[in-house]
Structures are given as structure tokens and as C-alpha cells.
Amino acid sequence: SLTPVKTQRSTMISRSLVLKAAAFLAVTLSIAPSSVHAAAALIDSATKIQFDDTLGGLSLFGVGVRKKGPIKVYSVGMYSDDETKASISSIPKSNKDGALSTLRTSLKSATATTFLLKMNFKVGAEKMAAAIAESVAPRTSDKAAVETLKKLILDGVATKGAATPGTVLRFDCSSETGVKVSVDGKEIGAAPGLCEAFCDVYLDDKAVSPALRNSCVENCCS
């Protein structure tokens, strides 16, 4: 009878297809770019505020909450370029200090880094501007630039009276322009020379949002 032969041949063909599919999958995974370590869209667990996975061509690294005592003031998301992402993608999550140190170093030469603040609690314009300026001040010697930053934030938020829940403050950092301030999509201006200091507000050992530091490591390291 020819039936057993046909069955055997059919089985061999099926196995061959399965093996080819497995091989293709293995190759696909092996050549996948380091971006697999990048964060997809994330939700800050503390405030339930969501951040998109990309912003103006930059990738989301992590999110975290800024607290003042028990008050969850705002959520912050950090975005930067692919080169910066690649610099920490192979570092194990267990090496948190090493990853954050490398991240801070890489950001110095990044084409752009953005910190997106989404308000969760109402804060007056003057108080919001002062709080951010006071965080930047100890991390730089350029006091004039800090005052410029403070005024930009104040001017941007004052137009709506206060930084109410849902207000979005965007800080675009680069070595060329310093820190560019936008409020609810409207660009206010730039404070020169504060890029590194502003990044350190969120990433150094005394960062204002430890949750953001942890999230960057968790989502971008191996």
C-alpha cells in the first residue's frame, strides 16, 4: 500500500517546515536591534499617567513620579537618542550604579534629551518655577542661567495661572542650546549651559525622582 509512504513523506515535510520556521525565528531574534531593550509606552504606576514610546524621534527610557512628602506632584518621562540607549542596553539590570553612571556620561554627548513633566497636582506658577530652579542650582555654578530658567518656567506657567493637573512642561536639553522650555506645546525660550545640570536633577545620586532612575534601568538594560 502507498498510504504509509505518503504519511511518512507528509510527516517529514511538516517537520522540515517546523525546523525552517524555528531557524528563521532564531535568526530574526539574533539580529534584532538593541532597541528591543527600549521602553514601549509606559504608565507611571504612582499616578497612572501615560507616556508615549517616542517623542520627536527620541525613545522613551523610563518614567517616574516626583513626590513632595505624600503628594504626587508630577510624573516625568525621559527621552533620548538611539546612541545613548545603545550605551546601556548591554549592561545588566543588576548593575544599576554602573548603568546610571554610563547613562549620565552618554547624555553629555547626546544629540538631544527631553524630560517631559505631566502635572498630577496643582502647583502655583512661582512655586513650580522656584522648585525646579532650586533643584538645578546646586548642580551648576552658572547662577544667571538658573535665573533665566526660573523666569522661563514662571512665564510659561503664569499664562494659565498655575501648573494644573494635565499641564505638560517640556525641557529639551542639548549641549548647543542648553535647556529649552515649553509649556503645553508652546515654546517659551532657552536657558544656556544647563544641559548636564538639568539631566543630573533626575539621574544623579540625589535625583528628585528615584523611580525614574529605576525605570530607566529596568526598561533599557539587559
Side-chain angles (χ1 to χ4, degrees):
S1 172
L2 296 176
T3 304
V5 176
K6 287 182 178 180
T7 302
Q8 185 178 22
R9 183 176 298 170
S10 176
T11 302
M12 291 175 64
I13 292 173
S14 297
R15 287 177 179 173
S16 177
L17 289 173
V18 170
L19 289 173
K20 286 180 180 179
F24 175 77
L25 181 60
V27 171
T28 301
L29 292 175
S30 68
I31 63 174
S34 60
S35 60
V36 294
H37 296 301
L42 293 174
I43 296 176
D44 181 3
S45 60
T47 62
K48 308 308 179 189
I49 293 174
Q50 180 172 319
F51 291 81
D52 293 337
D53 59 343
T54 59
L55 180 69
L58 302 177
S59 297
L60 178 62
F61 278 50
V63 302
V65 65
R66 167 62 161 125
K67 293 174 111 179
K68 195 69 174 176
I71 299 172
K72 301 167 185 175
V73 183
Y74 62 78
S75 291
V76 54
M78 191 194 96
Y79 297 80
S80 195
D81 58 27
D82 290 341
E83 288 75 13
T84 301
K85 177 181 62 185
S87 73
I88 63 171
S89 63
S90 62
I91 299 176
K93 296 175 184 178
S94 57
N95 185 9
K96 177 182 172 182
D97 291 341
L100 290 169
S101 176
T102 299
L103 177 57
R104 290 172 63 199
T105 299
S106 297
L107 287 177
K108 294 177 183 178
S109 58
T111 53
T113 300
T114 293
F115 292 90
L116 201 65
L117 279 55
K118 298 186 177 184
M119 299 301 299
N120 183 63
F121 185 84
K122 182 179 178 180
V123 180
E126 290 188 10
K127 193 170 184 179
M128 189 68 192
I132 294 177
E134 288 169 7
S135 295
V136 176
R139 295 171 167 91
T140 180
S141 58
D142 193 342
K143 304 307 177 187
V146 174
E147 285 303 312
T148 299
L149 177 66
K150 182 178 179 180
K151 186 176 186 306
L152 291 171
I153 299 170
L154 177 60
D155 290 348
V157 176
T159 57
K160 56 186 302 175
T164 52
T167 299
V168 178
L169 288 81
R170 175 171 172 169
F171 299 90
D172 296 314
C173 306
S174 74
S175 56
E176 293 182 0
T177 60
V179 179
K180 186 169 65 177
V181 181
S182 300
V183 177
D184 287 341
K186 181 182 179 182
E187 185 177 328
I188 310 301
L194 293 179
C195 178
E196 186 175 341
F198 199 92
C199 289
D200 282 349
V201 168
Y202 292 97
L203 295 173
D204 70 14
D205 294 340
K206 296 181 179 180
V208 300
S209 177
L212 173 63
R213 281 165 40 101
N214 293 337
S215 180
C216 287
V217 173
E218 184 63 30
N219 290 292
C220 297
C221 295
S222 59

